[in-house]
Amino acid sequence: MRIVEFEGVVARMEEKFGMGFEQFEEEDMLNKLGHSWVVEQDYFDWDRAVTEVRKLKEILKKHV
């Protein structure tokens, strides 16, 4: 259930910014867009969601 929630965050951010998280980082979009509160919060939420999805999927693989 948590995976679905975090994947929803990832999907919304990918749609909002028109790219995946890795590309966002590679293109230094945080600096290009400016460090406004909204951009910083989106980045934080997106990073957390990507990390949690990865971590939870690894845990599931070990227990399935």
Side-chain angles (χ1 to χ4, degrees):
M1 182 107 164
R2 290 180 62 206
I3 291 174
V4 172
E5 178 184 334
F6 287 123
E7 285 177 336
V9 172
V10 171
R12 284 191 302 279
M13 294 299 162
E14 287 176 348
E15 183 176 328
K16 180 175 183 175
F17 293 104
M19 63 184 73
F21 185 75
E22 290 79 18
Q23 183 181 1
F24 186 90
E25 285 193 313
E26 287 172 7
E27 294 187 18
D28 195 27
M29 294 302 294
L30 189 59
N31 284 320
K32 289 179 182 176
L33 294 172
H35 287 267
S36 71
W37 189 89
V38 173
V39 173
E40 292 262 350
Q41 188 64 48
D42 284 346
Y43 178 80
F44 175 78
D45 292 344
W46 199 3
D47 182 35
R48 179 174 181 244
V50 167
T51 302
E52 288 296 320
V53 167
R54 193 175 301 134
K55 183 173 74 173
L56 291 169
K57 285 183 176 182
E58 286 177 18
I59 290 169
L60 282 175
K61 282 182 186 177
K62 291 178 183 178
H63 291 78
V64 173

